[in-house]
Amino acid sequence: MTPLDPGTALILLAAGRSERFGGDKLAADYRGRQLWTWAARAAEKAGFQHLYIVMAPHSSIAPDARWNRVLNAEAERGMGTSIAAGLAAAQAHDRVVIALADMPRVTASHLRMLAQASGPLFTRQSDGKAGCPAAFDSASFAELRELDGDRGARILAGPDVNLVEPAAADMLVDIDRRSELDAENAR
């Protein structure tokens, strides 16, 4: 795809604790590759010129040189700290798209659409609520840098938030448990 505006960056959150999974979830095999690489490749294919991956100190994944590694020493405290760390690293950009490394079916076209929009834009989840992937302009950066603990970017989703439907519901598959990974690999 054509490269996206260099003022837009992608932040891939890959610093989770994997507690419900019971092991190193992102390094687990999903259809012949490590789970995290599926979301990473979608971001690469989308045309982002600036890629950031937020990792925990104990991470065993190994992104290549295209990715700016952001170490989140506070990862044990929750997703909010990873978003804040990613925003601190990407603060020179005008817009960021935040995606989750445990969503292997996210598509390049969906990430690209979020990148090319304006203002806060969330993906509509199956329950109708705002969720990831999501995109934000610099007007939201200060609030995102203040996130802490398990509070994610959804707290910025007010009653009039803009939501976009995923092209297919299965794009929202989010692997949290080993049984979910096993079910996906069996498909």
Side-chain angles (χ1 to χ4, degrees), residues 82-99:
S82 289
I83 294 170
L87 257 295
Q91 65 186 345
H93 298 282
D94 302 319
R95 185 167 182 79
V96 296
V97 174
I98 299 173

Side-chain angles (χ1 to χ4, degrees), residues 96-115:
V96 296
V97 174
I98 299 173
L100 304 177
D102 62 359
M103 290 182 74
R105 293 191 182 199
V106 69
T107 63
S109 60
H110 188 79
L111 296 173
R112 190 173 178 85
M113 182 271 311
L114 289 168

Side-chain angles (χ1 to χ4, degrees), residues 43-133:
E44 292 164 2
K45 289 179 183 175
F48 288 93
Q49 296 182 55
H50 299 281
L51 299 162
Y52 296 85
I53 185 164
V54 181
M55 301 166 56
H58 65 275
S59 182
S60 67
I61 64 173
D64 66 30
R66 289 176 282 192
W67 289 86
N68 296 293
R69 296 176 190 201
V70 179
L71 183 65
N72 179 8
E74 304 292 326
E76 293 294 321
R77 291 189 14 230
M79 182 190 299
T81 64
S82 289
I83 294 170
L87 257 295
Q91 65 186 345
H93 298 282
D94 302 319
R95 185 167 182 79
V96 296
V97 174
I98 299 173
L100 304 177
D102 62 359
M103 290 182 74
R105 293 191 182 199
V106 69
T107 63
S109 60
H110 188 79
L111 296 173
R112 190 173 178 85
M113 182 271 311
L114 289 168
Q116 293 175 322
S118 61
L121 183 60
F122 291 83
T123 300
R124 183 186 305 275
Q125 303 300 297
S126 56
D127 62 3
K129 293 181 180 175
C132 265

Side-chain angles (χ1 to χ4, degrees), residues 110 123-125 164-172:
H110 188 79
T123 300
R124 183 186 305 275
Q125 303 300 297
V164 62
E165 296 287 337
D170 67 353
M171 187 194 84
L172 300 175

